[in-house]
Amino acid sequence: MDNWNTRKSLLLRASNPDDHEAFEEFVYYYKNFINMVFTKLGVSESQSGDLRQDLLLKLWKDIGKFDADRKNSNFRGWLSVVIRHEVYHFYKKNKRENEALENLPLESKSESEVDKLIEEEWKAYVTSLAVQKIKSHFDGNAMEIFKMTMVGKNATDIAEKLSMTENSVYVIRSRVKSRFQSEVRQLRSYLEYEQ
Amino acid sequence: MKADSNKFIPLPDELDYSVSDFYDMDEDLCNEQCTRLYEEYNDIKKRYTEVTEIASGGMKTIYRAFDQKTGRYVAVAVLKNDMGEETHGPFLAEARLTAVLHHPNIIKIHDIDFGEDEKPYFTMDLKLGDSLSDIIKKLEENVSSYVEKYTLEEKLDIFVKVCNAVSYSHTQGILHLDIKPDNIQVGDHGEVLLCDWGLARYLGHAESQDNDLLDNEFLMGQTIMGKVRGTPGYMAPEMVNDKKKRCEQSDIYALGALLYALLAGLPPIEGNVDQILKKTSVGNVISPKERCPGKSIPSSLNAVVMKAMSFEIDQRYKTASELVEDVRKYLYGYATSAEETNVLKELSLFYKRNKTVCHVSLFSVFLISIFIGVFIVNLEQSRDKEMSLRIIAEEERTKAEINLKKYQQEKELADISLSADPSNVLAKIKKDYYQNFFSSPKGTLDRVMKSLERIKEANDSAMLLYEFKGDIHFLRQEFDLALLELKKGRGEFENRTLFKALVSIKDYKSDGGPAPVEIIQKMIHNLNGKYIQPLPKLLMYDNEVRANKEEHLELVKTVFTVANKVSELEEFSYDPSSKMLSISGDYRVYSFDIKSDGKRFPLFGTLPIDHLKIRGNKNLHGIALEGLKLKTLDIRGEKIRSKRQLIPKGVAEKIIVSEELSNKGILELLKKNSKVAFTLE
């Protein structure tokens, strides 16, 4: 994890078939993301097993097909469409033949709404990973200040609450923030398709 | 992922949506952040915060403080309160002189300024680690961590770095004049800093500054003899006797004394200040080897010390780099210039320098002799064996031909498994699984498992494999092995339901045969109606491996009941002689999608059924019977609302319906669209 900065993008490494670790890492990060999306979409545990495995394989194979040059195209948008399409396909096929299969709770939502939901989930996933990553670099106070700032508390309130000077709050906050931003940047260039 | 988890970022328990705005923070927002930072700068009223005293000398106090502008901790040197203005000059001079020096082993000055109280201060690197005198002290006390860390080589490495710093400062025309273990700081990672340049002088114009520079510090310092400054024991004789004579060699003398202390663990001269100065002034230095006979001090280094500490200036090393050269010679195993050498000495040094080569040569000769010996003995034996082997070979050939066929089959699998990309391999195996499981469950599962095991040998890292392998174990009723694979992943967090169900039967040890029905039932019961999708596949496998068909029927019933989420069915009976299955009760589901290509499999599809009798079903679909080969289907009493509900798939001869149906005209429609006879009874 320490040489994170210098690592090649995961998806770029994916093009090298000898890089087994790339696939492993891909599965680690993407599987858990898919799990979270499934929970959000209400895909039940009993149905998610094969669907998830096949979706992962499909993503891994298709990720090279993502065309970054297309207008209005970004990686998370592409990712959302692929996931949504697979999940819906799975459900439609089963539903046609078996009414007993539980409905997707999101049946009523439009495609673009679902895409948006998956996109938001991806954003939160990447940024939450970044939070996990910086946790080890800062002490509890620093993270506390950062979190309070994120929920809109101003420096004066934070300083009072943690009984420190307003200046220290500014300084610590900007240190954590800039570190956090750079982690997000790195994670994005690592987990998303090289643009 | 337990074993590898340190490689990856730990996954968050839940997502933190409050920070997701940072995901695509664009330039504008970044600029805003910068502006914010700029404002924060302007806001810093006091630059140094968190000030704590760390050391105090005669003239100045050193604090540790956080520099808000640069965002790091620094050391701040401040003149003591009772120091008059006349001390400002010398104080600033020390700072300026040190600031001139740029060397990795010389402490750096960051800033020189006047504080709010109009007293001068300067900031410099915060010293980390121990001073060399602390280290020597700890070594003498035999503190084990120090003894392990500071070997002779390590100490010499520190010494060489100090010499380099001194050598550099000499080229800048600056003498340190107070080199001693106290003034050398050693960090945890091999950083060495030569500090405290308070007595340093520019060569050449040293005399002119003599009277004002730092006299105060000296007066408050440790010696009573007003005309000397420096540290007794490390001071060169000429500094005691006639300070006008001080030169680069005075530092060389101190470096010698430093090496002395490193080797002996003692200062070169001991006693009270007067005694030390007296001994120094006449050159009365006992060599480290004589002083500490128990310490096995290398004689070449002993000679280096004594040369550097020669009483006569011109007997010492001319430059610090000459001194370094000699220490290096020792490190690389050559004779030093300070040593008197002979052939024997040179030879033993050659051996020391080339220990490995000497050992390897000797050992090789030894090995070669052994190999030749063994070879000759083997030659004899193999001649005898040859005859008997010829007979066995004939027999083996026949066997081999049989095995060849087997091998070719295996090889095909191996070619898939050893393909480099695990995702490719997995995709291929899954394809095999999807395509062939339906027609040959056991054969396919066995083959898939074999392939998976082979990949595992080649590449044990891909976690998707564990998951898939766990699925296959599950279908093969190897529940203990399935649990094992699940635990290799994220275990409980991966699939809580399955994990709990498998744990509930963890005492069962699979033996390759079908698991006892009670075990499977217990497991299914603990799935609580979730994770039922694989169960029909489990039944298909079970049908092939379980000899006791009554037990298999029990399982089919269990799965059917669980899949329909009912506690009890009115009837689920099977008559093997007439091959008739009768189901009645409150149920909806009777088939499952088991393959990704959309083919369906009835939950009771593993039973050989000719006649099916259905009662009480609320959701009858012809398509649900796909995969069955029924002779007759009895659906009397069922309400058929539309044609779509009863497309007679999987029925060969006749469908028995109730009279109600004909009244609705649907029967006519059905008759038109199918070749099956409809009977009203």
Side-chain angles (χ1 to χ4, degrees):
Chain A
M1 225 154 85
D2 288 323
N3 56 352
W4 191 264
N5 296 346
T6 56
R7 288 170 84 179
K8 265 167 84 180
S9 154
L10 182 58
L11 305 180
L12 207 64
R13 282 165 63 206
S15 54
N16 172 9
D18 288 332
D19 198 341
H20 295 189
E21 271 174 37
F23 181 57
E24 185 193 358
E25 285 194 59
F26 170 83
V27 171
Y28 179 81
Y29 291 115
Y30 275 79
K31 185 166 89 173
N32 289 292
F33 172 63
I34 290 174
N35 278 345
M36 287 168 174
V37 170
F38 278 8
T39 313
K40 261 269 144 76
L41 295 180
V43 178
S44 70
E45 253 180 34
S46 67
Q47 285 136 4
S48 62
D50 271 349
L51 174 61
R52 190 185 55 195
Q53 283 176 20
D54 296 342
L55 180 55
L56 271 172
L57 283 174
K58 186 179 169 56
L59 279 176
W60 178 249
K61 293 280 159 225
D62 285 2
I63 238 154
K65 292 185 196 160
F66 163 63
D67 182 3
D69 298 331
R70 250 175 45 206
K71 227 183 166 188
N72 300 326
S73 123
N74 62 41
F75 177 77
R76 60 185 185 280
W78 174 85
L79 183 68
S80 307
V81 172
V82 174
I83 294 179
R84 190 244 306 146
H85 184 261
E86 284 293 304
V87 172
Y88 273 52
H89 179 68
F90 177 84
Y91 268 86
K92 253 183 215 153
K93 190 184 70 198
N94 283 281
K95 181 116 192 306
R96 196 177 59 231
E97 295 154 7
N98 196 342
E99 284 174 17
L101 196 81
E102 294 126 89
N103 283 344
L104 265 186
L106 292 166
E107 201 78 357
S108 55
K109 296 212 169 170
S110 73
E111 289 185 352
S112 64
E113 275 176 315
V114 174
D115 285 350
K116 183 123 176 64
L117 187 141
I118 301 176
E119 271 190 47
E120 290 304 317
E121 200 71 358
W122 177 252
K123 285 185 188 177
Y125 184 61
V126 171
T127 47
S128 299
L129 278 175
V131 172
Q132 291 286 99
K133 189 127 184 286
I134 58 168
K135 260 187 196 163
S136 55
H137 293 281
F138 294 100
D139 61 13
N141 243 0
M143 289 305 290
E144 188 73 7
I145 291 173
F146 181 64
K147 281 206 171 130
M148 287 202 257
T149 309
M150 286 305 116
V151 296
K153 285 226 162 71
N154 65 34
T156 323
D157 292 348
I158 298 173
E160 196 176 318
K161 194 162 180 200
L162 298 176
S163 50
M164 49 201 320
T165 67
E166 216 171 301
N167 272 336
S168 319
V169 172
Y170 280 133
V171 173
I172 293 172
R173 198 174 66 180
S174 76
R175 269 194 277 169
V176 181
K177 243 187 209 174
S178 74
R179 176 80 198 218
F180 176 70
Q181 277 179 302
S182 92
E183 290 296 349
V184 170
R185 251 199 316 279
Q186 281 167 27
L187 265 174
R188 283 194 58 187
S189 68
Y190 189 67
L191 290 178
E192 301 185 357
Y193 191 76
E194 193 85 335
Q195 304 205 22
Chain B
M1 266 345 290
K2 264 168 240 152
D4 291 313
S5 58
N6 47 353
K7 241 167 54 182
F8 300 120
I9 305 170
L11 296 166
D13 292 330
E14 51 188 50
L15 295 188
D16 185 350
Y17 294 91
S18 67
V19 289
S20 53
D21 283 345
F22 277 84
Y23 173 83
D24 43 8
M25 178 158 293
D26 52 26
E27 287 305 311
D28 284 344
L29 277 166
C30 276
N31 284 341
E32 208 171 281
Q33 296 272 310
C34 295
T35 319
R36 178 80 251 178
L37 196 62
Y38 176 75
E39 280 165 11
E40 281 169 18
Y41 258 87
N42 282 344
D43 224 20
I44 296 172
K45 292 185 192 84
K46 199 160 171 291
R47 179 166 180 184
Y48 299 101
T49 57
E50 304 174 38
V51 183
T52 44
E53 184 176 324
I54 46 177
S56 180
M59 184 172 161
K60 56 189 185 251
T61 311
I62 312 283
Y63 299 95
R64 173 187 195 269
F66 184 75
D67 180 349
Q68 302 228 49
K69 283 195 182 169
T70 54
R72 65 182 168 190
Y73 287 95
V74 292
V76 186
V78 183
L79 265 176
K80 283 199 162 176
N81 273 338
D82 50 0
M83 288 291 163
E85 269 187 44
E86 71 281 3
T87 57
H88 291 186
F91 178 81
L92 292 172
E94 176 193 344
R96 286 298 291 271
L97 185 142
T98 316
V100 167
L101 299 168
H102 301 280
H103 189 272
N105 299 117
I106 293 174
I107 194 157
K108 279 175 195 53
I109 302 296
H110 300 315
D111 193 17
I112 305 172
D113 207 347
F114 285 85
E116 278 167 24
D117 55 359
E118 291 178 358
K119 280 194 179 290
Y121 69 87
F122 63 87
T123 62
M124 57 192 162
D125 291 344
L126 188 66
K127 296 177 198 171
L128 300 166
D130 303 307
S131 80
L132 195 54
S133 63
D134 289 336
I135 292 174
I136 292 173
K137 214 167 127 199
K138 294 265 168 59
L139 285 173
E140 284 307 292
E141 287 164 4
N142 258 324
V143 178
S144 61
S145 60
Y146 282 79
V147 175
E148 271 165 40
K149 189 168 178 192
Y150 295 104
T151 57
L152 180 59
E153 279 72 24
E154 185 62 33
K155 285 192 284 187
L156 291 179
D157 189 47
I158 295 170
F159 179 70
V160 166
K161 283 177 179 164
V162 176
C163 288
N164 287 339
V166 173
S167 176
Y168 163 79
S169 77
H170 285 178
T171 63
Q172 299 301 305
I174 293 169
L175 303 179
H176 187 284
L177 297 180
D178 196 14
I179 300 167
K180 56 175 176 177
D182 280 322
N183 286 341
I184 291 156
Q185 198 70 17
V186 180
D188 291 336
H189 306 286
E191 318 91 297
V192 174
L193 284 183
L194 180 54
C195 314
D196 201 342
W197 293 71
L199 297 188
R201 289 292 176 281
Y202 277 106
L203 269 175
H205 48 89
E207 285 316 304
S208 59
Q209 295 179 356
D210 230 7
N211 293 326
D212 55 322
L213 192 60
L214 304 188
D215 261 354
N216 280 295
E217 174 164 43
F218 192 69
L219 284 173
M220 313 198 63
Q222 58 280 66
T223 132
I224 46 158
M225 298 184 67
K227 58 179 179 176
V228 283
R229 59 168 65 111
T231 306
Y234 294 89
M235 278 169 80
E238 64 272 17
M239 287 176 72
V240 180
N241 296 336
D242 178 5
K243 59 184 172 185
K244 281 177 194 149
K245 278 192 183 163
R246 68 189 169 205
C247 54
E248 282 106 322
Q249 276 66 40
S250 311
D251 276 345
I252 304 280
Y253 180 94
L255 286 172
L258 180 67
L259 183 57
Y260 191 116
L262 280 171
L263 294 172
L266 300 163
I269 306 170
E270 277 181 315
N272 65 37
V273 174
D274 279 338
Q275 287 166 337
I276 296 175
L277 290 178
K278 204 162 180 198
K279 282 181 187 169
T280 308
S281 67
V282 295
N284 186 1
V285 181
I286 307 164
S287 80
K289 219 172 154 64
E290 277 173 74
R291 194 127 161 257
C292 310
K295 273 203 164 136
S296 75
I297 293 164
S299 35
S300 50
L301 290 178
N302 192 60
V304 171
V305 170
M306 295 317 283
K307 181 171 177 182
M309 293 182 76
S310 299
F311 181 74
E312 294 297 336
I313 294 176
D314 48 15
Q315 296 290 305
R316 297 177 204 155
Y317 292 97
K318 297 279 169 292
T319 60
S321 48
E322 224 174 79
L323 171 55
V324 169
E325 196 51 40
D326 252 8
V327 174
R328 288 224 171 94
K329 275 183 183 163
Y330 165 78
L331 282 170
Y332 297 129
Y334 291 89
T336 58
S337 72
E339 235 175 329
E340 285 155 23
T341 60
N342 57 37
V343 178
L344 205 63
K345 174 87 186 172
E346 293 283 357
L347 259 180
S348 90
L349 283 171
F350 175 83
Y351 170 70
K352 276 186 190 167
R353 287 201 294 277
N354 300 297
K355 256 184 194 162
T356 331
V357 176
C358 292
H359 288 164
V360 168
S361 320
L362 276 176
F363 186 62
S364 311
V365 171
F366 174 70
L367 269 188
I368 289 169
S369 333
I370 292 199
F371 281 142
I372 292 175
V374 170
F375 178 71
I376 292 172
V377 174
N378 275 348
L379 204 63
E380 295 277 324
Q381 287 176 349
S382 58
R383 202 177 293 162
D384 298 339
K385 268 189 185 167
E386 202 190 14
M387 286 305 289
S388 54
L389 277 179
R390 203 169 287 175
I391 303 161
I392 300 171
E394 281 301 312
E395 294 167 13
E396 288 293 318
R397 203 165 64 110
T398 343
K399 270 190 204 165
E401 274 162 10
I402 302 167
N403 282 337
L404 180 68
K405 226 179 175 185
K406 241 183 187 172
Y407 164 76
Q408 277 165 341
Q409 289 171 341
E410 300 262 313
K411 191 174 174 297
E412 208 171 308
L413 274 174
D415 286 344
I416 298 179
S417 317
L418 294 176
S419 138
D421 184 350
S423 64
N424 258 333
V425 177
L426 190 60
K428 274 186 189 158
I429 294 177
K430 287 204 100 173
K431 199 176 158 205
D432 177 22
Y433 168 61
Y434 286 141
Q435 277 181 350
N436 300 315
F437 178 79
F438 198 76
S439 53
S440 157
K442 184 177 187 304
T444 307
L445 289 188
D446 289 351
R447 193 169 58 246
V448 162
M449 184 51 76
K450 222 170 197 178
S451 308
L452 284 174
E453 267 160 6
R454 213 185 290 267
I455 309 182
K456 250 198 87 211
E457 282 162 24
N459 169 31
D460 200 16
S461 61
M463 66 185 103
L464 206 55
L465 293 180
Y466 297 145
E467 199 177 299
F468 184 51
K469 200 163 169 235
D471 294 348
I472 303 297
H473 278 307
F474 181 87
L475 297 184
R476 281 158 52 111
Q477 307 181 2
E478 293 157 341
F479 303 116
D480 47 346
L481 302 180
L483 182 60
L484 215 64
E485 296 297 330
L486 194 61
K487 278 179 178 167
K488 280 184 198 165
R490 299 214 308 145
E492 194 181 350
F493 301 101
E494 196 58 61
N495 189 334
R496 218 174 282 267
T497 310
L498 180 62
F499 187 83
K500 268 191 200 158
L502 290 177
V503 165
S504 75
I505 50 159
K506 66 176 189 298
D507 292 334
Y508 167 66
K509 296 281 169 269
S510 61
D511 54 6
V517 174
E518 318 79 69
I519 293 289
I520 303 178
Q521 282 173 328
K522 185 175 175 192
M523 193 272 303
I524 291 176
H525 175 76
N526 282 312
L527 286 173
N528 279 326
K530 292 176 187 161
Y531 199 65
I532 43 179
Q533 219 194 6
L535 296 181
K537 292 186 205 167
L538 186 140
L539 287 180
M540 290 171 78
Y541 178 82
D542 188 77
N543 183 40
E544 273 197 78
V545 296
R546 194 178 296 279
N548 187 333
K549 290 302 159 197
E550 272 172 45
E551 285 183 359
H552 178 69
L553 178 65
E554 270 305 296
L555 273 187
V556 173
K557 192 177 169 182
T558 306
V559 172
F560 190 86
T561 316
V562 168
N564 277 290
K565 298 191 163 85
V566 288
S567 48
E568 200 72 48
L569 287 168
E570 280 169 34
E571 187 185 6
F572 190 97
S573 65
Y574 177 72
D575 175 20
S577 58
S578 64
K579 295 187 178 170
M580 154 91 97
L581 177 69
S582 311
I583 315 171
S584 92
D586 181 18
Y587 61 91
R588 299 165 61 92
V589 184
Y590 39 162
S591 72
F592 255 81
D593 175 63
I594 60 157
K595 300 208 295 177
S596 63
D597 64 6
K599 275 201 183 166
R600 307 194 62 84
F601 184 76
L603 288 169
F604 37 77
T606 54
L607 304 173
I609 308 173
D610 282 346
H611 311 283
L612 179 63
K613 207 162 99 186
I614 293 174
R615 296 285 185 275
N617 183 257
K618 294 192 180 73
N619 186 35
L620 186 61
H621 267 240
I623 202 167
L625 302 175
E626 187 183 357
L628 289 178
K629 287 184 182 104
L630 296 178
K631 281 183 184 146
T632 67
L633 172 66
D634 182 350
I635 46 170
R636 276 173 292 173
E638 296 296 295
K639 286 191 180 100
I640 309 289
R641 286 184 217 89
S642 74
K643 172 183 96 164
R644 187 177 149 265
Q645 271 186 295
L646 187 57
I647 300 158
K649 277 193 179 172
V651 185
E653 288 170 11
K654 62 173 179 179
I655 300 177
I656 305 165
V657 293
S658 57
E659 286 193 45
E660 281 175 66
L661 196 60
S662 63
N663 297 341
K664 287 177 185 165
I666 292 175
L667 184 62
E668 298 307 315
L669 219 74
L670 281 171
K671 275 180 175 168
K672 219 191 275 178
N673 287 311
S674 83
K675 291 164 190 158
V676 182
F678 284 83
T679 314
L680 296 167
E681 277 177 24

